[in-house]
Amino acid sequence: MSTLTAPIEAPPAGPGRPAYRVTGKRVLSSEWAKLWSLRSTWITLGLGLLFLVAFGLIASSRYKSGMGSGHMDPDFADSTAVSLSLFGTNFAQLALGVLGVLVMAGEYSTGMIRSTMAAVPRRLPVLWAKAAVFGLVTLVVGILGAFITFGFGSGIVSGTPAAMSLTHAGVLRSLLGAGLYLGLVGVIGTALGALLRSVAGGISVLVGALMLIPGLVSLLPSSWRGDISPYLPSNAGASMFALTHDSTTLSPTAGLLVFLGWTALALAGAAYRLVRRDV
C-alpha cells in the first residue's frame, strides 16, 4: 500500500522589508528633533540670549551715565563699545553650558539613553551628533546676541571715547569670536554631561572650570600665575574676543587653539567613557 503525500507549497514571499541603516544624517536629525522637543531648550537659550543682551546694554548705559556725570567707575574707564557689549558673555556662558550638560546627562537621568544607544549601537555617533547640533545652535545664539547688543550698545555710547563701529579694526573679529566661544562652551557642556553622566556633577565641573579655578589661580605666586592663568579655559576663551591684548594674555589665534584643545580633551574623555562603560 502506498501513500501519496501532496507537496507542501511555501507561502509566496512578500515584499522585502528595507533594512534600517544608521547614518550620520539620521542621527543628526534625531538629535535635532530631541533638542527642540524639550521645553528647557527654549527657556535656557532664551535666558542665554537675554543675559548677553541685557547685561551688555546695562554696562553701556552705566558707562554713558558715568561720562555724563563726570564720575566714571574705574572698572569702566578704558572700556570700548565692544567690551561693554560683550559684558554679559560670562553670564550667558553659564546658561548655555548648563543646557549642554542637560542635553546629554538628562538622558542618563531619565533612562532615555538606553533607547538612544539601542538605536545607535556604535554609540560615538550619538556624542558627535549631540555636540555638533548643540554647538551649532549655541554658536548662532552667541553671534546673534553679540551683534544685537553691539548694534544697540554702540548707539548708547555714541559720542563718547568708547564709541566704535563695525568698520573699526578687530570689532568684527571680536563679535564672531564671542559667538564661537559660546558655541564651544556648549560643546564642552555636552561632553561633560557624557563624561560624568550626572547633571549636578557636570554643572559643578563646568562652573568650577570657568569661574572658580581662575579665582583660585589668582592666589598663587605671581611667577606661577603668569605661566598658568592665560591657559585656563575661561582666560583662553576671553582672549578670543578681546579687542586688545598685552603680555599677560594670549593672542586671539593662540586663545582659540588653547580653547579648542580643552574642548577636544573634554570630548575625548566623554568618548572614552561612552565606549568603555555600559549605559
Side-chain angles (χ1 to χ4, degrees), residues 163-188:
M164 303 184 82
S165 66
L166 281 175
T167 58
H168 279 76
V171 171
L172 187 60
R173 188 264 306 162
S174 295
L175 299 179
L176 293 176
L180 179 57
Y181 170 70
L182 293 175
L184 292 175
V185 168
V187 173
I188 290 177

Side-chain angles (χ1 to χ4, degrees), residues 112-139:
M112 186 178 176
I113 192 66
R114 297 185 182 91
S115 300
T116 299
M117 295 308 175
V120 189
R122 294 179 61 187
R123 297 188 178 186
L124 285 183
V126 174
L127 176 62
W128 309 143
K130 282 184 179 291
V133 167
F134 188 67
L136 177 62
V137 170
T138 50
L139 171 67

Side-chain angles (χ1 to χ4, degrees), residues 54-88 90-91 153 156-157 160-163:
F55 282 102
L57 297 182
I58 291 172
S60 299
S61 299
R62 184 175 177 182
Y63 177 88
K64 181 72 172 182
S65 63
M67 288 295 297
S69 63
H71 300 286
M72 176 61 66
D73 190 324
D75 293 335
F76 289 88
D78 299 326
S79 297
T80 64
V82 172
S83 63
L84 294 170
S85 298
L86 300 180
F87 186 81
N90 288 337
F91 302 95
I156 294 175
V157 300
T160 68

Side-chain angles (χ1 to χ4, degrees), residues 212-222 224-226 228-230 232 235:
L212 298 183
I213 292 180
L216 295 176
V217 170
S218 65
L219 301 177
L220 295 175
S222 58
W224 292 10
R225 186 169 62 245
I228 297 174
S229 182
L232 295 177
N235 293 339

Side-chain angles (χ1 to χ4, degrees), residues 196-276:
L196 301 175
R197 302 184 177 185
S198 166
V199 174
I203 293 175
S204 298
V205 172
L206 179 74
V207 173
L210 295 180
M211 303 193 71
L212 298 183
I213 292 180
L216 295 176
V217 170
S218 65
L219 301 177
L220 295 175
S222 58
S223 58
W224 292 10
R225 186 169 62 245
D227 294 332
I228 297 174
S229 182
Y231 299 95
L232 295 177
S234 57
N235 293 339
S239 65
M240 293 168 53
F241 55 86
L243 194 62
T244 59
H245 300 82
D246 55 35
S247 59
T248 63
T249 60
L250 299 176
S251 67
T253 302
L256 173 61
L257 293 176
V258 170
F259 200 69
L260 284 175
W262 285 110
T263 306
L265 182 63
L267 286 172
Y272 180 82
R273 189 172 188 195
L274 197 59
V275 171
R276 293 291 182 176

